Amino acid sequence: MKELVNWISNGVNFLEKKSHFYRSLVMLTIATVLLGEISFFPFGTGFRFGLGSAVFSLGLILYPELLRLKVGGIVGAAVVLFRVSVDLLIRQPSASFYVSLSHHLPAFSYYFLLVFFLRLFNLQRYWDYPLILGTVVSSFDFLSNTFELIIRQGAIMSSDLVRELITAFIVSIGKGFVIIGIVSIFSVYRLRIVQEEERLRLEKTLLLASGLYEETFFLKKSMTDIENITARSFDLYQQVKRRPDCDPKLARLALGIAEEVHEVKKDAQRVVAGLSGLVMV
């Protein structure tokens, strides 16, 4: 029975993790695809910079569980298909599907290669080192852009390709600084959450200690009453025993009451000793 419960619990946890993964993947894909249409060509070159790539890089850092090759493949394919669809339906309705696909297909390599490079580097270890994290992400972003540009240009070195590579390098550095800033904000926010949790935990501990102190005080007061009852019970036993017409059963009953009250007193002393050690009273 215990194995069945563990199996069901593990299954539920697995499904929850899967559900969280796919929700994150869908959100990242939609954000990357839509924001990728907000783009410009910096420095007048042919290098296209879209906000989607920046959101994609940031999403991989904030959600490390998405650092899987299939995520890069899914997002890259979604970006390509969306851009081809926009071309055929809005921008260039008369364009050929294959022409549009060949134009946008190199973008797939960027998303796939970025995930591939980031998987080689344990980002979580450097979460608290934004400068290193930003440098690594900038480097891998530039490498991915380089491969995309080379595929797009047909691996032919030209002055245009050099200008685009220089532009890609500058843009990658800019992305790195933005990522440093956002990660730093998240780090500060996470630290504040931890501090708030510690404050609440401390308040609960203080309230608990205050309650224990009060209970210890009243328990000590009760011990005084128990001592008085013990003494009076023993006096009763002695008075009964001294009587000429002493009933042995009655004397044993009085002595038994005195002994039981004495045992209660010893138990109370142990409880008070334990509580005193906790609240330092």
Side-chain angles (χ1 to χ4, degrees), residues 42-158:
F43 308 114
T45 63
F47 176 75
R48 180 180 185 273
F49 170 69
L51 293 181
S53 61
V55 171
F56 182 71
S57 302
L58 185 61
L60 295 178
I61 296 174
L62 298 180
Y63 299 95
E65 65 272 15
L66 294 177
L67 274 174
R68 304 182 186 182
L69 292 178
K70 66 179 181 180
V71 172
I74 292 172
V75 175
V79 168
V80 172
L81 292 177
F82 183 80
R83 291 178 182 176
V84 170
S85 300
V86 171
D87 279 352
L88 298 180
L89 296 176
I90 300 175
R91 284 193 287 254
Q92 298 174 338
S94 61
S96 167
F97 171 80
Y98 297 103
V99 172
S100 179
L101 180 63
S102 62
H103 176 71
H104 294 294
L105 192 58
F108 174 87
S109 62
Y110 169 82
Y111 296 97
F112 185 82
L113 289 174
L114 183 60
V115 175
F116 174 77
F117 288 136
L118 291 178
R119 277 183 60 86
L120 300 178
F121 193 82
N122 190 355
L123 295 178
Q124 289 301 102
R125 289 191 309 170
Y126 300 96
W127 177 269
D128 295 325
Y129 303 94
L131 186 59
I132 297 177
L133 191 63
T135 301
V136 171
V137 173
S138 296
S139 301
F140 291 155
D141 180 81
F142 174 67
L143 284 176
S144 302
N145 278 319
T146 299
F147 276 99
E148 179 186 352
L149 290 173
I150 290 175
I151 294 173
R152 193 179 296 277
Q153 298 287 347
I156 300 175
M157 186 59 65
S158 63

Side-chain angles (χ1 to χ4, degrees), residues 236-256:
L236 177 62
Y237 161 71
Q238 288 180 331
Q239 291 176 15
V240 171
K241 190 176 180 182
R242 285 196 297 264
R243 292 182 60 179
D245 57 344
C246 173
D247 185 353
K249 291 184 178 179
L250 186 59
R252 285 196 299 270
L253 178 60
L255 180 61

